[in-house]
Amino acid sequence: MSSREIATLCDKEHKNVKRDIEVMAEQLELDTLKFEHIYKDSQNREQTEYLLDKETCLCLVAGYNAKLRLAIIKRWQELEQSATITDPLLLIAHMATQAYEAKQLALKQEQRLCHIEQKVDVAIAKAQAVLDDDGYFSIKGFCSLHGIKLTNSQMSSLSKKCKKAIRC
């Protein structure tokens, strides 16, 4: 709990709470640097406050009156309850988010794989369409691949010319 919050709960000035913390720390032989924290005030100036653990905070307010001690004890109970409830819920929410993101990524990868497999199937079909039974590139396949439209008689004529050229 911060010294500013203690000051508010105890209806004291922050500078006086800080002084009380420094006196207590000296008596207990504690280093105040262990608790020191810098914050920016409403005018954006750096100011010092102390962040106390439960034990040190209760030790401090034990010197104040009973109403103040009770207010501090109730506030510590609120802090402890919120920490035990909030932290696990945040952890569960974080884990659920990660699981959802992992599932979305897996789904996206699966869709991408299906798309690639479809492209491969089309490429195989095109390759088979352009090769003749012996595995040679055919006139019909070449024309189909390059979008050239020839009649059957034109293809037959080209095919015959190619055969003659090969025999030479």
Side-chain angles (χ1 to χ4, degrees):
M1 187 181 303
S2 76
S3 53
R4 290 187 297 155
E5 188 172 11
I6 294 168
T8 302
L9 289 168
C10 296
D11 198 29
K12 291 184 172 275
E13 288 188 36
H14 185 234
K15 66 180 183 179
N16 294 333
V17 172
K18 283 175 42 177
R19 181 201 61 225
D20 293 344
I21 291 170
E22 291 162 359
V23 168
M24 178 190 68
E26 186 179 326
Q27 292 171 353
L28 296 173
E29 298 177 355
L30 298 173
D31 185 5
T32 55
L33 292 176
K34 174 182 173 186
F35 305 109
E36 194 172 281
H37 179 257
I38 303 297
Y39 71 97
K40 294 205 178 197
D41 65 11
S42 59
Q43 296 175 352
N44 208 27
R45 296 177 299 186
E46 288 189 352
Q47 300 290 336
T48 303
E49 69 179 346
Y50 294 111
L51 300 178
L52 303 180
D53 57 24
K54 182 178 181 180
E55 185 178 275
T56 310
C57 180
L58 293 177
C59 181
L60 173 72
V61 297
Y64 298 160
N65 70 43
K67 284 184 179 180
L68 300 179
R69 285 193 299 271
L70 183 60
I72 296 295
I73 289 168
K74 285 182 177 181
R75 178 63 181 136
W76 266 108
Q77 288 172 338
E78 289 173 7
L79 288 172
E80 288 174 338
Q81 284 179 338
S82 69
T84 56
I85 293 170
T86 305
D87 289 347
L89 292 177
L90 287 175
L91 180 61
I92 290 169
H94 180 69
M95 290 170 62
T97 301
Q98 285 183 324
Y100 174 77
E101 289 172 354
K103 186 175 181 179
Q104 291 299 104
L105 181 62
L107 181 61
K108 191 174 182 179
Q109 292 290 42
E110 186 178 339
Q111 289 171 343
R112 187 168 181 247
L113 180 62
C114 286
H115 182 70
I116 290 170
E117 286 175 346
Q118 288 173 349
K119 282 187 170 186
V120 168
D121 289 343
V122 168
I124 290 171
K126 283 184 177 180
Q128 289 173 342
V130 296
L131 298 175
D132 64 13
D133 293 337
D134 296 328
Y136 292 106
F137 202 64
S138 68
I139 301 282
K140 182 178 179 181
F142 180 85
C143 291
S144 173
L145 187 63
H146 293 286
I148 300 170
K149 298 193 184 222
L150 295 177
T151 64
N152 285 341
S153 65
Q154 288 173 320
M155 277 193 234
S156 177
S157 171
L158 275 175
S159 181
K160 288 177 185 176
K161 288 179 183 176
C162 286
K163 284 179 186 179
K164 284 181 185 176
I166 292 171
R167 289 186 193 148
C168 295

